[in-house]
Amino acid sequence: MELWHIRGGKRLEGACFVQGSKNASLPILAASVICPASTQLLNVPQLRDVDAALRILRHLGCRAEQRDGEVSIDSRSLSSCNIPHSLMEEMRSSVIFMGALVARCGEARLSLPGGCQLGRRPIDLHLSALRQMGAEIREDGGEIFCSAPELKGAEIVLPFPSVGATENIMLAACAAKGETVIHGAAREPEIAALQDYLRAMGAEVRGAGTDTVVIGALRPEKQIACRIIPDRIVASTIACAAACTGGNVELRGIDPRQFSTVLRFLKQAGCDIISTDRSVRLRSEGRLKAVGEISTAPYPGFPTDAQPVLMAALLKARGLTRITENIFENRYRQVPELCRLGADIVTHGRIAEIWGVDSLHGTALTATDLRGGAAMIVAGLSAQGETLICDEGHISRGYERFDARLRALGADISLA
């Protein structure tokens, strides 16, 4: 159990580099098993989810070590294609190992993944795509056994641009005979990052960042090196914290295009934002304006992962902001806790209405999930008095040394 202690009212000011992306790191870690090779990854964040992925790699027989921001993997010693439930249940993205193991071993045995409880997140699209590539899949009591002695390239149409399904198909397709084409693919920057890694591994991949991704032949390399892109959701979180505390913060090493929808709403709320190719400076007077309507959508739309932290930034914004959550049906779990701080939020199904209040008052909260916990930190930073957040480890799944990063910007925050 972790306890976050925040004394609100401090203005965030200064500059910081943004940590490596969790959502880019995890599929690349899984991809490292596709062929026998050594991989060096730079800028990998030290997170609970990354640690869980490394433990899966070790269970599979690989050597996998992390030191500071560097991860070394040797997959030549891979000796298993079975991931037990105790490891699968730790994170949702563990399902991405299915495509990688089928590509390497011709089979995979695993269970349904865990992660934050944000509502139904079925893996039907993953399984359907693998079946179209020739895999036989058997499900039994929450366990999945996938067998594919020979995968074949296929034209796969995704009815929804699922990030996980796109990634799983890309990994499996590296071992398929012939070309695989994904129509309706997810377009997130993390998909492009995975493409860069697969290319470094020797795969022919093109189209990432568009809705059509093509995967061709693999000519395996023995040594692979890759740098993880910055985390656009962490950047969004710090920007939201600076916005609602009247901050003046420069985010370095981040491409503003990757979270431009978040920046657009913060500018609409009254923030002054100056961007370059690799940095963003945000200045705020503290009291924001409501932004009207926000709807979450697949990239390049407004990201569902940024919805809770932007909601927290707008709790004292003048007027009404209405959010429509189109990705997860249980993404408002943070709302009752934010209301304990004095927020005025009413939810109707997938819609949340936020009426700005004059002030927030610190109290004891309980983190509900990764992004909901981050939202409570943002709100606590702008509240009067002390806020205590009791967290079972959700926040450390996605935020690396977040207390130290915020303290460096002037926040009065500690983690015990």
Side-chain angles (χ1 to χ4, degrees), residues 5-9 360-363 380-388 412:
H5 186 172
I6 304 168
R7 189 180 295 275
L360 300 171
H361 303 277
T363 188
L381 291 171
S382 68
Q384 298 175 7
E386 295 184 9
T387 298
L388 298 176
D412 188 344

Side-chain angles (χ1 to χ4, degrees), residues 121-172:
R121 290 191 282 181
I123 62 170
D124 298 3
L125 297 181
H126 305 236
L127 304 183
S128 173
L130 289 173
R131 287 187 172 111
Q132 291 177 63
M133 298 171 69
E136 295 183 3
I137 300 174
R138 186 174 69 252
E139 301 178 64
D140 182 15
E143 290 192 336
I144 301 171
F145 179 70
C146 182
S147 176
E150 183 178 80
L151 290 170
K152 298 178 181 179
E155 293 257 349
I156 298 171
V157 179
L158 293 177
F160 177 83
S162 163
V163 173
T166 300
E167 292 168 342
N168 241 334
I169 298 165
M170 291 172 68
L171 301 191

Side-chain angles (χ1 to χ4, degrees), residues 388-406:
L388 298 176
I389 304 173
C390 186
D391 179 26
E392 294 182 350
H394 297 296
I395 299 168
S396 61
R397 288 184 47 234
Y399 292 84
E400 178 186 41
R401 293 190 288 271
F402 201 45
D403 57 325
R405 198 176 303 272
L406 291 172

